[in-house]
């Protein structure tokens, strides 16, 4: 039993070792080896301070993008629900989003 496990393990390690040797790229191009940073100069130091404003705008965009995906099914369930519960849930959801927008506006995140 242990012999079969040991042989399988050895064969697996051998195949992984051979595949890593055979799959190495032999042509080392300077452009291919340089790191790609979208919108940033990769030749400067990676420890430069980065503006957190960018991340704040990205998070705000994600929040409002998810809001749209949660709000769209509300229109498709209109014929199947009570109009009072539909309007109450829609207005409640919109009021929470508008309160969040007002809060971000007051904190200066949208400037």
């Amino acid at each position: 039993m242990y012999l079969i496990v040991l042989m399988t393990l050895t064969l697996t390690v051998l195949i992984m070792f051979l595949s890593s040797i055979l799959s190495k790229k032999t042509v080392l191009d300077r452009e291919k080896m340089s790191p790609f940073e979208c919108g940033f100069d990769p030749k400067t130091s990676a420890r430069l301070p980065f503006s957190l404003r960018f991340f704040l705008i990205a998070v705000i965009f994600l929040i409002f993008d998810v809001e749209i995906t949660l709000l769209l099914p509300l229109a498709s369930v209109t014929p199947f629900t009570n109009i009072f519960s539909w309007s109450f849930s829609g207005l409640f959801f919109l009021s929470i989003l508008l309160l969040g927008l007002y809060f971000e506006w007051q904190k200066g995140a949208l400037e």
Side-chain angles (χ1 to χ4, degrees):
M1 176 77 177
Y2 292 115
L3 183 64
I4 295 173
V5 172
L6 186 62
M7 286 174 50
T8 306
L9 182 65
T10 307
L11 183 65
T12 305
V13 169
L14 182 67
I15 290 173
M16 287 172 35
F17 180 71
L18 285 174
S19 67
S20 70
I21 289 175
L22 294 175
S23 68
K24 286 191 176 184
K25 294 182 180 178
T26 56
V27 178
L28 297 177
D29 188 15
R30 193 180 129 229
E31 290 295 323
K32 295 273 186 180
M33 297 300 291
S34 68
F36 176 72
E37 298 290 336
C38 184
F40 301 103
D41 187 18
K43 306 298 182 210
T44 61
S45 174
R47 302 291 178 204
L48 291 176
F50 189 68
S51 174
L52 293 179
R53 195 121 180 109
F54 172 76
F55 291 113
L56 181 65
I57 290 172
V59 168
I60 290 172
F61 171 75
L62 284 175
I63 289 171
F64 286 107
D65 196 34
V66 169
E67 155 201 336
I68 297 296
T69 62
L70 294 175
L71 202 56
L72 281 176
L74 196 62
S76 65
V77 297
T78 306
F80 308 113
T81 61
N82 183 5
I83 192 70
F84 178 73
S85 64
W86 178 82
S87 61
F88 178 74
S89 62
L91 289 175
F92 182 71
F93 184 71
L94 282 175
S95 63
I96 289 174
L97 290 173
L98 286 175
L99 283 173
L101 179 65
Y102 178 72
F103 179 75
E104 289 173 358
W105 184 30
Q106 288 298 319
K107 291 293 180 180
L110 301 177
E111 293 177 5

